[in-house]
């Protein structure tokens, strides 16, 4: 991975990078670039709001409960509205779906409205009140070709391997967009001086082995045996003779970002409170699994690849374990041993 400035000291913005990528597809209409500009604009607006969270009246609960039965934070509502607004202006998007909306929004039926965007506008939003990191996750799918003019909200129920691009924005000590459209995973840091996402982490590759596991260990007694034995094995030094330590922020985007750059493993297994897992498949697990795989890691639920799970509903939950090559080899060893 290169984190050095470009050789001639010029910068490469996300838009430039994307333009270079789309030149690989002659005849590209520019609609996809325009779609992506909706994401970059909306997330810059969210970043600006997050930066000033302690100074404006955006902390705390909005007073409503979302479809997951969770109290919506004011910033959840704000972020959702911003993304819906700017993505809603993109002619190429037929369907939008969000963690904060019970049903997907079918915006257009026209043939040129060929994309579907699903997102979690502000993941880990309870972190806002304590000035800790939060994120946005998004997944981009193509509408199926074979449905003619019978488009409906179920068009988006596609397994994650059909994603054509995915990413997240981490609102941390700096704001960073991490994105892949299938040709490497690239990180762009928001330069507040010029208001642009600038390429800072080209071609992110996960280290073969890290030194941290990231899990809400308070639930370990209720994990299925394989996950429990796995975490205990990491602690005991059974994965490459390294005794792992733990890091857990409680905002998936931040925990996964550390894992992508420094290696290791992130997991949210089934628990008594969340027997199917806590993370949402379509807009949390899938985009992360897509990025992790494109960075050389793997992402699973039990013995199944996350990207192969066929969703039955937009807000479906899943368990997830994702990590670098050594950590996932050790997980598969635990699975195989039935431990
Ligand atoms: P959210 O979408 O309601 O914010 O929940 C998802 C978050 C993830 O970011 C994080 O990994 C997880 O929930 C933390 O859950 P817990 O507090 O149970 O450890
Ligand atoms: Mg979330």
């Amino acid at each position: 991975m290169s984190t050095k400035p470009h050789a001639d000291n010029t910068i490469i913005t996300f838009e430039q990078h994307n333009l270079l990528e789309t030149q690989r597809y002659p005849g590209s209409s520019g609609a996809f670039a325009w779609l992506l500009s909706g994401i970059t604009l909306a997330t810059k607006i969210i970043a600006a709001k997050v930066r000033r969270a302690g100074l404006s009246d955006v902390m705390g609960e909005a007073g409503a409960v979302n479809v997951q039965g969770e109290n919506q934070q004011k910033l959840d509502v704000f972020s959702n509205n911003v993304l819906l607004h700017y993505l809603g202006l993109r002619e190429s998007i037929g369907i939008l779906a969000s963690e904060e909306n019970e049903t997907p929004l079918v915006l257009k039926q026209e043939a040129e409205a060929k994309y579907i965007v699903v997102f979690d506008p502000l993941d880990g939003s309870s972190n806002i009140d304590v000035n800790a990191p939060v994120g946005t996750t998004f997944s981009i799918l193509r509408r199926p070709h074979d449905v003619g003019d019978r488009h409906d909200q179920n068009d988006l129920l596609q397994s994650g391997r059909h994603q054509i691009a995915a990413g997240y924005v981490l609102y941390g000590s700096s704001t960073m967009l991490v994105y892949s459209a299938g040709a490497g995973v690239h990180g762009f840091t928001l330069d507040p001086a010029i208001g642009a996402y600038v390429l800072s982490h080209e071609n992110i590759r996960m280290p073969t082995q890290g030194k941290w596991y990231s899990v809400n260990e308070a639930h370990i007694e209720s994990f299925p045996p394989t996950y429990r034995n796995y975490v205990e094995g990491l602690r005991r030094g059974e994965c490459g003779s390294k005794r792992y330590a733990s890091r857990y922020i409680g905002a998936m985007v931040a925990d996964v970002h550390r894992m992508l750059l420094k290696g290791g493993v992130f997991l949210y297994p089934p628990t008594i409170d969340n027997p199917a897992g806590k993370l949402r498949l379509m807009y949390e697990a899938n985009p992360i699994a897509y990025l992790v795989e494109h960075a050389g890691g793997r992402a699973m639920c039990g013995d199944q690849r996350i990207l192969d799970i066929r969703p039955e509903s937009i807000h479906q939950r899943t368990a997830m374990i994702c990590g670098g090559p050594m950590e996932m080899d050790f997980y598969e060893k635990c699975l195989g041993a039935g431990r």
Side-chain angles (χ1 to χ4, degrees):
M1 177 182 69
S2 160
T3 53
K4 297 193 183 79
H6 201 230
D8 56 4
N9 267 341
T10 58
I11 58 168
I12 299 179
T13 64
F14 178 71
E15 287 72 22
Q16 280 172 289
H17 194 268
N18 186 42
L19 192 67
L20 291 172
E21 279 211 345
T22 50
Q23 280 171 358
R24 292 188 294 135
Y25 305 100
S28 153
S29 66
F32 192 65
W34 179 231
L35 182 163
L36 292 174
S37 77
I39 293 176
T40 52
L41 176 57
T43 56
K44 286 178 204 174
I45 293 171
I46 296 168
K49 199 75 162 177
V50 167
R51 288 277 160 264
R52 301 192 71 254
L55 301 171
S56 53
D57 183 30
V58 292
M59 288 192 169
E61 294 172 4
V65 172
N66 71 7
V67 65
Q68 325 290 338
E70 299 155 347
N71 291 324
Q72 283 183 316
Q73 307 285 310
K74 288 179 189 164
L75 260 174
D76 284 327
V77 176
F78 175 85
S79 307
N80 195 39
N81 289 341
V82 170
L83 277 157
L84 289 177
H85 176 73
Y86 288 104
L87 291 176
L89 296 175
R90 268 57 185 169
E91 305 77 11
S92 64
I93 299 179
I95 304 177
L96 278 178
S98 161
E99 174 172 1
E100 302 301 334
N101 294 101
E102 186 159 0
T103 49
L105 305 170
V106 180
L107 301 176
K108 300 177 200 81
Q109 298 289 359
E110 292 79 8
E112 76 261 21
K114 58 187 173 198
Y115 298 116
I116 296 167
V117 183
V118 291
F119 58 87
D120 180 356
L122 205 67
D123 186 55
S125 55
S126 58
N127 270 2
I128 279 290
D129 289 356
V130 294
N131 209 350
V134 288
T136 296
T137 52
F138 60 91
S139 160
I140 305 175
L141 297 155
R142 202 183 289 277
R143 287 175 93 173
H145 294 300
D146 55 358
V147 292
D149 55 4
R150 292 178 292 105
H151 291 291
D152 71 37
Q153 54 182 23
N154 292 326
D155 292 357
L156 55 69
L157 297 179
Q158 305 176 33
S159 55
R161 66 169 181 269
H162 296 301
Q163 293 172 104
I164 56 170
Y168 62 74
V169 175
L170 169 61
Y171 310 100
S173 46
S174 61
T175 297
M176 206 169 147
L177 167 65
V178 176
Y179 170 81
S180 179
V185 178
H186 308 292
F188 302 82
T189 301
L190 180 61
D191 183 342
I194 59 172
Y197 283 109
V198 175
L199 182 64
S200 54
H201 296 64
E202 191 172 12
N203 197 22
I204 296 171
R205 300 295 298 171
M206 285 193 69
T208 308
Q209 185 175 24
K211 55 183 179 184
W212 294 308
Y213 62 82
S214 186
V215 65
N216 189 335
E217 217 159 339
H219 303 303
I220 195 163
E221 301 306 329
S222 71
F223 293 168
T226 300
Y227 292 103
R228 197 168 61 232
N229 293 330
Y230 176 73
V231 172
E232 287 168 354
L234 291 176
R235 273 195 232 138
R236 283 196 296 264
E238 292 174 11
C239 176
S241 314
K242 193 180 269 187
R243 286 179 191 276
Y244 280 65
S246 77
R247 290 282 187 280
Y248 191 67
I249 296 170
M252 178 187 64
V253 170
D255 282 315
V256 164
H257 187 66
R258 179 193 54 248
M259 184 197 74
L260 277 179
L261 298 186
K262 303 289 184 191
V265 61
F266 168 86
L267 61 161
Y268 207 112
T271 62
I272 286 181
D273 290 343
N274 290 292
K278 180 180 181 193
L279 302 172
R280 272 49 63 119
L281 173 63
M282 292 210 64
Y283 42 81
E284 293 179 336
N286 273 346
I288 296 302
Y290 182 88
L291 294 172
V292 167
E293 286 202 3
H294 281 284
R298 305 201 292 275
M300 297 178 73
C301 165
D303 61 0
Q304 198 176 9
R305 181 181 174 226
I306 289 281
L307 296 181
D308 286 339
I309 300 173
R310 176 86 209 230
E312 287 169 9
S313 65
I314 171 68
H315 298 295
Q316 179 172 329
R317 293 180 192 264
T318 183
M320 178 164 79
I321 173 166
C322 57
M326 291 267 293
E327 288 82 11
M328 294 308 287
D329 283 351
F330 180 55
Y331 173 68
E332 293 195 27
K333 194 173 153 198
C334 292
L335 262 181
R339 320 171 28 168

